Amino acid sequence: MTAINFVIIGYGGMGSYHKKELMPENYINVIGVYDISQTAQDKARETGLKVYDSLDLVLSDDDVEAVLIATPNDSHKAIAIAALRAGKQVICEKPVAMNVLELDEILAVAKATGNVFMVHQNRRWDPDFLVIRDLYQTGKIGELFQIESRVHGANGIPGDWREQAKHGGGMLLDWGVHLIDQLLWLIDSPVKHMAADFSYILGNEVDDGFILYLTFENGIKAIIEVGTSNYSKLPRWYVKGLDGAAKIEDWDLSGEIVVATNKEGVVAPTPIKAGVGLTKTMAPPSEEATVTSDVTPVLPDFVSFYQNFYEVVREDAQPIIKHEEVRKVLQLIDDVFVLVGERK
Ligand code: NAD
């Protein structure tokens, strides 16, 4: 087994994280880095990596089999096309491109050259998402009819290219890509209806958050929300099924899964005082009506991203992240920009 020789293009936050945390040495051999910033170049040299002086030098080096693109979003297309044309296999960070038109240009070159082009939709492996996927697939809380997926922070948009429209900044193109990818990958049904709104609380030229409502043809409704001015967070996930509900607070999987039991034999709830009134509707269910448990991790039943990439390149395996899936996500994002009036 010979690891694939890689060069990382863009050795900032995510590019260096790939090298440090994600790339398994048995599959991937990082031989160098190309980055336009002196700081990033110094960081790469300190790690013992070769630093290339230009993209052309990377692409003309026969030792380089593949590149990872981890530069700002607006530069993905040009780098990806140049790398594919130079005969390199490519992993590209998300969002794969600024819009579907750009993506189609990349995919046409990937098809023409026959080289592998895979997008790093890594949050399909997130433990919290895997729990939701398990609930969806096993029906442990009955058929799901509402899925709420949120990420909330209070630090605003990280202050660099992510604040600028020309670089593909904003939260829809940042976190939105992950959260939309998770749901479109999970729910095997087309989106029938959507509504959306952006927030500009911090006065940036790009969205500092958004809310997206999706209704799927199979009846499932989803809310996807990203906020960067949320000093108190809502749970990462809240999902409702016909026989229960689940709440996952954060990436540590704190939360609860509540399952309705023995629906027929359950005693009706007794009215409780609520504020200055009385309610039976909002009274907690009687003790026998539900069982509450902690959220337990679900082990992934598929190979890791890099193992899959290796197998696609070396053994002609099927990619886990498929072009049509990535395109569907970007098309939906394009549609949201039009819907909120940010694009024609
Ligand atoms: P960053 O600003 O930390 O790093 C980007 C690096 O690219 C910088 O070092 C910069 O100097 C370099 N660069 C810019 N233009 C370049 C060019 N033309 N050629 C070579 N180098 C260039 O940004 P980041 O947070 O690392 O994000 C990079 C990409 O990774 C983005 O597309 C982002 O959406 C993605 N990302 C993905 C995840 C994930 O979980 N999948 C997480 C964070 C970022």
Side-chain angles (χ1 to χ4, degrees), residues 8-18 22 34-41 43 55 69-76 79 92-96 120-123 126 158 160-162 167-168 173-175 177-178:
I8 299 176
I9 300 176
Y11 201 64
M14 197 57 192
S16 57
Y17 186 75
H18 273 270
L22 302 178
Y34 169 60
D35 195 298
I36 54 173
S37 122
Q38 186 65 47
T39 317
Q41 292 169 13
K43 191 167 66 174
L55 182 60
I69 304 171
T71 53
N73 304 338
D74 58 317
S75 55
H76 293 178
I79 299 171
C92 184
E93 262 305 342
K94 48 53 62 177
V96 56
H120 190 232
Q121 292 298 161
N122 49 323
R123 294 200 174 276
D126 275 3
D160 49 19
W161 58 266
R162 279 184 174 78
H167 290 306
L173 278 171
D174 196 53
W175 267 97
V177 177
H178 286 305

Side-chain angles (χ1 to χ4, degrees), residues 126-135 140-141 235-239 245-258 291-298:
D126 275 3
D128 53 282
F129 171 65
L130 293 180
V131 172
I132 301 302
R133 186 167 174 260
D134 184 60
L135 292 175
K140 276 181 197 156
I141 58 169
R236 170 73 188 86
W237 295 96
Y238 176 59
V239 299
K247 186 165 61 169
I248 304 180
E249 295 290 345
D250 226 323
W251 286 282
D252 63 0
L253 300 191
S254 54
E256 63 180 16
I257 296 180
V258 181
V291 171
T292 300
S293 56
D294 290 340
V295 177
T296 44
V298 174

Side-chain angles (χ1 to χ4, degrees), residues 95-298:
V96 56
M98 302 279 275
N99 51 52
V100 165
L101 281 178
E102 283 197 0
L103 174 60
D104 284 348
E105 286 183 56
I106 303 173
L107 296 183
V109 179
K111 195 170 172 202
T113 58
N115 294 321
V116 176
F117 179 74
M118 245 169 89
V119 181
H120 190 232
Q121 292 298 161
N122 49 323
R123 294 200 174 276
R124 292 187 190 181
W125 283 264
D126 275 3
D128 53 282
F129 171 65
L130 293 180
V131 172
I132 301 302
R133 186 167 174 260
D134 184 60
L135 292 175
Y136 179 85
Q137 290 176 340
T138 60
K140 276 181 197 156
I141 58 169
E143 205 177 306
L144 300 192
F145 62 91
Q146 181 151 335
I147 303 179
E148 301 183 17
S149 168
R150 295 187 171 83
V151 289
H152 282 168
N155 302 317
I157 303 174
D160 49 19
W161 58 266
R162 279 184 174 78
E163 290 184 344
Q164 296 172 33
K166 68 175 184 197
H167 290 306
M171 285 298 117
L172 181 63
L173 278 171
D174 196 53
W175 267 97
V177 177
H178 286 305
L179 306 189
I180 293 167
D181 178 68
Q182 287 178 334
L183 286 198
L184 296 195
W185 189 57
L186 177 73
I187 300 169
D188 186 20
S189 176
V191 172
K192 185 172 81 174
H193 173 77
M194 73 175 180
D197 201 8
F198 280 2
S199 65
Y200 296 92
I201 294 153
L202 305 167
N204 295 105
E205 63 181 35
V206 292
D207 66 292
D208 57 32
F210 68 88
I211 185 156
L212 175 60
Y213 298 92
L214 300 174
T215 305
F216 292 84
E217 273 180 17
N218 65 4
I220 295 183
K221 290 179 191 289
I223 299 174
I224 298 177
E225 191 189 343
V226 174
T228 53
S229 301
N230 298 60
Y231 286 92
S232 172
K233 298 173 174 191
L234 287 175
R236 170 73 188 86
W237 295 96
Y238 176 59
V239 299
K240 296 193 280 187
L242 292 174
D243 298 318
K247 186 165 61 169
I248 304 180
E249 295 290 345
D250 226 323
W251 286 282
D252 63 0
L253 300 191
S254 54
E256 63 180 16
I257 296 180
V258 181
V259 184
T261 53
N262 181 24
K263 277 187 180 170
E264 288 80 38
V266 163
V267 189
T270 25
I272 54 159
K273 274 208 243 171
V276 292
L278 192 68
T279 180
K280 196 160 117 180
T281 323
M282 300 307 161
S286 61
E287 261 178 41
E288 319 82 73
T290 58
V291 171
T292 300
S293 56
D294 290 340
V295 177
T296 44
V298 174

